[in-house]
C-alpha cells in the first residue's frame, strides 16, 4: 500500500491508531489524547485488529503495547514497516527490558516509552512523542517531495547542471551535463571531473571561483572550454556556493549552457559594427547616429570638425543638439523625427524639407561661432532590426553654403543674359547642334509669331514650315568650320533678306554644345535679280 495515503495534512488533527490488549487503558489513553481536540484516536485490542483498521483508515501514526496475545508489538511494528514504510510508530509498554528496547529501535520504532506511574505525566509524554514523531515524518516527507520535484525539474532542464564539492568531486550531474560531455551519469557522479580549460582562461576562472564567498555566493562567467573532441567551445556558467555556519565551502552548484553560437554571432556583430564605424569615419560628410531613445551612438571625425565637439563627449548623450551649439541654433532634428522622438512639424526651421523613400531630407541655415551663416543639407534614414522595428537613425550633413551661393550666382547670370538678349532688336536663337531650339529672344518669338513653349525642342527650320535645313545655312557652316559663319540670303517665308551669323559654343572637350544664331534684316541687294540661286525664292514683283 502507498504510505502517502496514511498521512493527514497539517490542517487536520493528528490521527493515531492506539493498540493495547487492555481496553481500560485504551479508554484512558483515548480520553487524555483527545482532550484538546487536535489528536483523533482509533483503538484496537490486538495487533491483528490493528492491521485490519490500518487497511480501512488514514492515520498519521501508530501507538502499540509490546506484550499482546498473538502478534506482539515488535511483530506489528515490522509488519507496519513492510506495508506502510516510515509510518511513525511508538512502542508504549510496561516492559522495560534492555533487549526489548534495542529490538524495538532496531526494527524501526520512532520512540520507546515505558508505562507506569501517574497517568497524566505518562500520557503527556506519549502525546509529546506522538507530535514529535508525526512532525518529523511530515518534514521528512516534505523534504522527499521537494527533492523529488527539484530533481525532476533539474533533469528536465536543457541547461547543464552539476554539484561538486571543494575537491571537484561531482555530487550530482543532470542528463544534459552528462550528455554534453559524453560521460554516463553513473560514471560521472563520485569522481573528480574538470573539463579542459585553455591556458589563457585558467587564471580568470580561478579568480571567478575565489570570488565566491558567504557574502557573495553567486557569480557568472563566460569562458572557453576544450571538448573531448578537441573542439574549443564557449560556455556560460552561473555558480552558487553553499557554506556551513563556519563559512567553510560545502559545495558549488553550476548551471551552464553552450553559448558558442551566441559568441560567434556576438563576434560577427562586433566586427560588423566596427566595419560600419570605419565606413562612417571615412565618410567625407559629417555623420552621426542615434539609438531609439535618441542617444548618440556614432559621431564621425567630420562631425567633430563641423561642431567642434569630440566624439568622446557625445557618445551616449541625449542632448546632442545643445551640446553642439550652446546657443541652440544648431538643431539636426531630422534623425529625431525618424525615430519618433520629435514631430514632423519642423518645416518652419528648414529652408526645405521632403520625404524621399525611407529618408527625410532637409536644408537648414545655422549660425556659426564667428557669426556667419551656413546652409546644411541633412539626410536622416531609420536603422531597422530584422523585424522592421526602428532601432535608431543615421543622419549625414553636408555644408552646401558655397553650392547654394554658386546656384544663386548662376541664376543671376542666366537672368542677366536673358534680359540682355531680350533687349536686342535682332533675332537671337540658341539651339543645339541638331538645330533644335533651346530658346529665342523676344524679337525672335515676335518675328515668328510663336511662344517659347511652341518653339522649344523643335528644329529651327520646321518653325518656318520646312522639312529640312536651308541650303544656305550659317549654322551648318559654323559646325563644319568650327568658327563663326555668316551668310546673307532671302527668306521667302518671312519675306526678308537676312544676314545670318552662327557662333559655336564649345565644352571643355572642344565639342560644340550650342549654337548662337543672330538674324539681322538687311536691304535687298542691288544684284538680287541676277542671283540665280536666290531668284526663285524672291517674290515675283518686288
Amino acid at each position: 500500500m502507498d504510505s502517502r495515503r496514511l498521512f493527514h495534512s497539517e490542517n487536520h488533527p493528528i490521527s493515531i491508531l492506539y493498540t493495547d490488549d487492555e481496553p481500560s487503558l485504551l479508554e484512558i489513553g483515548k480520553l487524555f489524547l483527545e482532550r484538546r481536540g487536535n489528536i483523533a484516536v482509533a483503538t484496537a485490542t490486538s495487533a491483528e485488529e490493528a492491521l485490519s483498521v490500518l487497511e480501512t483508515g488514514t492515520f498519521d501514526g501508530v501507538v502499540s503495547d509490546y506484550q499482546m496475545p498473538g502478534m506482539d508489538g515488535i511483530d506489528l511494528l515490522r509488519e507496519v514497516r513492510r506495508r506502510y514504510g516510515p509510518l511513525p510508530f511508538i512502542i508504549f509498554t510496561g516492559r522495560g527490558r534492555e533487549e526489548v528496547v534495542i529490538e524495538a529501535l532496531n526494527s524501526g520504532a520512532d520512540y520507546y516509552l515505558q508505562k507506569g506511574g501517574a497517568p497524566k505525566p505518562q500520557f503527556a509524554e506519549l502525546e509529546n512523542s506522538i507530535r514529535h514523531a508525526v512532525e518529523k515524518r511530515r518534514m521528512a516527507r516534505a523534504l522527499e517531495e521537494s527533492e523529488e520535484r527539484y530533481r525532476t525539474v533539474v533533469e528536465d532542464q536543457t541547461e547543464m547542471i552539476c554539484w561538486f564539492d571543494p575537491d571537484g568531486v561531482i555530487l550530482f550531474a543532470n542528463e544534459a551535463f552528462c550528455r554534453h560531455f559524453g560521460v554516463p551519469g553513473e560514471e560521472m557522479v563520485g569522481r573528480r571531473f574538470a573539463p579542459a580549460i585553455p591556458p589563457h582562461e585558467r587564471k580568470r576562472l580561478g579568480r571567478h571561483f575565489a570570488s565566491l564567498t558567504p557574502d557573495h555566493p553567486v557569480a557568472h562567467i563566460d569562458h572557453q572550454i576544450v571538448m573531448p573532441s578537441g573542439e574549443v567551445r564557449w560556455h556560460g556558467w552561473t555558480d552558487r556556493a553553499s557554506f556551513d555556519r563556519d563559512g567553510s565551502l560545502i559545495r558549488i552548484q553550476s548551471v551552464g549552457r553552450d553559448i558558442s553560437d551566441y559568441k560567434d554571432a556576438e563576434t560577427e556583430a562586433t566586427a560588423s559594427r566596427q566595419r560600419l564605424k570605419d565606413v562612417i569615419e571615412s565618410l567625407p560628410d559629417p555623420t552621426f547616429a542615434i539609438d531609439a531613445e535618441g542617444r548618440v551612438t556614432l559621431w564621425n571625425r567630420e562631425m567633430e570638425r563641423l561642431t567642434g565637439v569630440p566624439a568622446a563627449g557625445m557618445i551616449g548623450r541625449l542632448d546632442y543638439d545643445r551640446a553642439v551649439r550652446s546657443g541652440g541654433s544648431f538643431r539636426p532634428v531630422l534623425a529625431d523625427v525618424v525615430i519618433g522622438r520629435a514631430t514632423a512639424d519642423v518645416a518652419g526651421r528648414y529652408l526645405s524639407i521632403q520625404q524621399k523613400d525611407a529618408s527625410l531630407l532637409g536644408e537648414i541655415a545655422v549660425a556659426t561661432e564667428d557669426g556667419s551663416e551656413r546652409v546644411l543639407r541633412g539626410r536622416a534614414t531609420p536603422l531597422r532590426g530584422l523585424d522592421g522595428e526602428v532601432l535608431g537613425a543615421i543622419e549625414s550633413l553636408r555644408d552646401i553654403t558655397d553650392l547654394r551661393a554658386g546656384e544663386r550666382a548662376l541664376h543671376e547670370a542666366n537672368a542677366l543674359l536673358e534680359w540682355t538678349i531680350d533687349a536686342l532688336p535682332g533675332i537671337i536663337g540658341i539651339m543645339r547642334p541638331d538645330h533644335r531650339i533651346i530658346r529665342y529672344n523676344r524679337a525672335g518669338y515676335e518675328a515668328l509669331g510663336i511662344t517659347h513653349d511652341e518653339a522649344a525642342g523643335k528644329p529651327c527650320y520646321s518653325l518656318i514650315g520646312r522639312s529640312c535645313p536651308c541650303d544656305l545655312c550659317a549654322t551648318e557652316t559654323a559646325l563644319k568650320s568650327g568658327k563663326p559663319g555668316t551668310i546673307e540670303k532671302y527668306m521667302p517665308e518671312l519675306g526678308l533678306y537676312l544676314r545670318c551669323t552662327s557662333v559655336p559654343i564649345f565644352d571643355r572637350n572642344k565639342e560644340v554644345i550650342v549654337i548662337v544664331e543672330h538674324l539681322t534684316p538687311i536691304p535687298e541687294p542691288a544684284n538680287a535679280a541676277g542671283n540665280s540661286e536666290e531668284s526663285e525664292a524672291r517674290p515675283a514683283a518686288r
Side-chain angles (χ1 to χ4, degrees):
M1 180 185 295
D2 186 352
S3 62
R4 286 176 294 182
R5 80 175 191 84
L6 298 173
F7 300 103
H8 284 290
S9 70
E10 295 180 359
N11 297 325
H12 293 81
I14 297 173
S15 178
I16 295 296
L17 174 60
Y18 184 15
T19 305
D20 200 300
D21 59 345
E22 297 183 28
S24 59
L25 191 58
L26 289 177
E27 186 64 27
I28 294 173
K30 179 177 174 65
L31 290 173
F32 187 89
L33 294 174
E34 290 184 340
R35 74 190 190 283
R36 296 181 182 178
N38 51 11
I39 296 180
V41 179
T43 61
T45 57
S46 67
E48 292 80 6
E49 182 184 357
L51 291 173
S52 297
V53 174
L54 286 173
E55 285 292 332
T56 59
T58 302
F59 297 93
D60 294 310
V62 176
V63 176
S64 176
D65 187 16
Y66 167 67
Q67 190 169 357
M68 295 181 291
M71 293 177 66
D72 61 20
I74 301 298
D75 292 333
L76 176 60
L77 168 61
R78 290 174 179 148
E79 189 62 23
V80 168
R81 285 286 174 265
R82 188 182 69 81
R83 297 187 186 185
Y84 304 115
L87 179 65
F89 199 105
I90 299 172
I91 296 291
F92 186 50
T93 181
R95 300 295 296 271
R97 296 199 310 270
E98 182 179 351
E99 64 272 16
V100 175
V101 176
I102 293 174
E103 186 179 12
L105 296 178
N106 287 339
S107 298
D110 292 273
Y111 292 99
Y112 182 95
L113 301 178
Q114 192 168 355
K115 299 176 187 178
K120 185 174 181 179
Q122 73 173 358
F123 279 110
E125 184 180 6
L126 175 61
E127 179 182 2
N128 190 48
S129 297
I130 291 171
R131 293 184 184 280
H132 285 174
V134 171
E135 181 62 23
K136 183 173 68 174
R137 178 54 196 151
R138 282 177 174 170
M139 292 179 63
R141 183 59 193 170
L143 180 60
E144 290 173 3
E145 292 177 349
S146 176
E147 290 182 347
E148 181 64 25
R149 287 194 299 269
Y150 179 78
R151 184 175 295 274
T152 299
V153 170
V154 167
E155 287 294 351
D156 289 343
Q157 294 301 307
T158 56
E159 287 85 357
M160 297 176 283
I161 301 175
C162 71
W163 304 338
F164 55 91
D165 67 13
D167 295 325
V169 175
I170 298 295
L171 305 175
F172 167 79
N174 72 343
E175 183 181 351
F177 185 94
C178 298
R179 184 173 60 249
H180 185 77
F181 290 105
V183 179
E186 59 272 15
E187 297 180 18
M188 180 73 76
V189 176
R191 75 169 202 179
R192 288 177 58 87
F193 178 79
I197 305 298
H200 66 277
E201 294 277 31
R202 292 171 187 169
K203 288 185 178 180
R204 191 167 67 91
L205 194 59
R207 291 193 297 269
H208 164 76
F209 284 114
S211 72
L212 299 174
T213 65
D215 295 329
H216 184 263
V218 181
H220 181 88
I221 186 172
D222 294 342
H223 65 85
Q224 290 178 303
I225 190 169
V226 181
M227 299 298 293
S229 64
E231 180 186 9
V232 177
R233 306 286 293 176
W234 275 95
H235 281 185
W237 292 95
T238 299
D239 295 304
R240 177 181 292 274
S242 298
F243 299 87
D244 61 18
R245 293 180 179 179
D246 297 327
S248 298
L249 179 64
I250 300 173
R251 73 178 186 187
I252 294 177
Q253 173 182 278
S254 290
V255 179
R257 63 173 58 190
D258 189 312
I259 57 172
S260 301
D261 292 342
Y262 167 76
K263 283 293 185 180
D264 290 344
E266 185 181 61
T267 300
E268 177 56 32
T270 300
S272 178
R273 286 193 295 269
Q274 185 59 48
R275 289 194 295 270
L276 175 61
K277 183 179 180 181
D278 293 342
V279 169
I280 291 177
E281 283 294 337
S282 66
L283 292 177
D285 294 331
T287 303
F288 68 97
I290 58 176
D291 62 19
E293 295 179 354
R295 291 185 178 85
V296 175
T297 56
L298 288 171
W299 193 265
N300 75 348
R301 284 189 292 269
E302 291 302 320
M303 200 70 191
E304 292 179 329
R305 293 193 184 99
L306 173 68
T307 64
V309 181
M314 292 304 305
I315 301 300
R317 295 187 62 163
L318 283 167
D319 57 341
Y320 66 88
D321 59 313
R322 288 189 294 276
V324 173
R325 288 288 183 269
S326 58
S329 59
F330 185 89
R331 177 67 177 175
V333 297
L334 296 180
D336 288 332
V337 174
V338 166
I339 66 171
R341 207 170 153 251
T343 65
D345 185 23
V346 295
R349 305 177 187 179
Y350 284 82
L351 305 176
S352 65
I353 189 168
Q354 62 176 317
Q355 186 80 35
K356 186 175 182 181
D357 299 328
S359 301
L360 194 63
L361 287 74
E363 294 181 10
I364 189 171
V366 300
T368 61
E369 293 179 352
D370 61 5
S372 63
E373 185 178 87
R374 309 296 292 177
V375 179
L376 300 178
R377 176 189 291 159
R379 182 187 185 102
T381 304
L383 301 174
R384 300 183 182 275
L386 296 177
D387 58 357
E389 179 184 5
V390 175
L391 303 179
I394 185 168
E395 181 169 348
S396 293
L397 302 169
R398 177 170 294 182
D399 189 332
I400 59 170
T401 306
D402 295 339
L403 175 62
R404 286 290 176 259
E407 289 176 347
R408 285 195 299 271
L410 180 60
H411 176 75
E412 292 170 357
N414 287 336
L416 180 61
L417 177 61
E418 290 178 1
W419 295 336
T420 300
I421 65 174
D422 279 341
L424 295 176
I427 300 172
I428 303 295
I430 302 174
M431 67 186 73
R432 298 186 181 88
D434 61 358
H435 295 266
R436 294 187 179 276
I437 295 297
I438 296 174
R439 66 159 296 167
Y440 281 110
N441 66 346
R442 183 179 295 109
Y445 291 129
E446 291 175 352
L448 294 171
I450 58 176
T451 64
H452 170 74
D453 291 339
E454 292 171 333
K458 296 177 182 177
C460 59
Y461 50 82
S462 70
L463 300 178
I464 58 175
R466 297 190 180 188
S467 59
C468 60
C470 303
D471 292 335
L472 294 176
C473 179
T475 295
E476 288 295 327
T477 301
L479 288 171
K480 290 176 182 179
S481 65
K483 300 178 181 179
T486 300
I487 64 170
E488 295 180 355
K489 63 179 179 179
Y490 179 68
M491 296 293 293
E493 292 85 359
L494 301 178
L496 295 173
Y497 278 95
L498 297 174
R499 177 178 290 110
C500 303
T501 300
S502 292
V503 180
I505 306 297
F506 300 89
D507 61 13
R508 292 179 181 179
N509 298 321
K510 297 183 180 181
E511 296 289 335
V512 177
I513 53 174
V514 293
I515 298 290
V516 178
E517 187 177 53
H518 184 199
L519 306 178
T520 306
I522 58 175
E524 181 176 352
N527 63 345
N531 190 333
S532 61
E533 187 173 313
E534 294 289 333
S535 61
E536 293 182 357
R538 293 199 307 271
R542 184 166 173 79

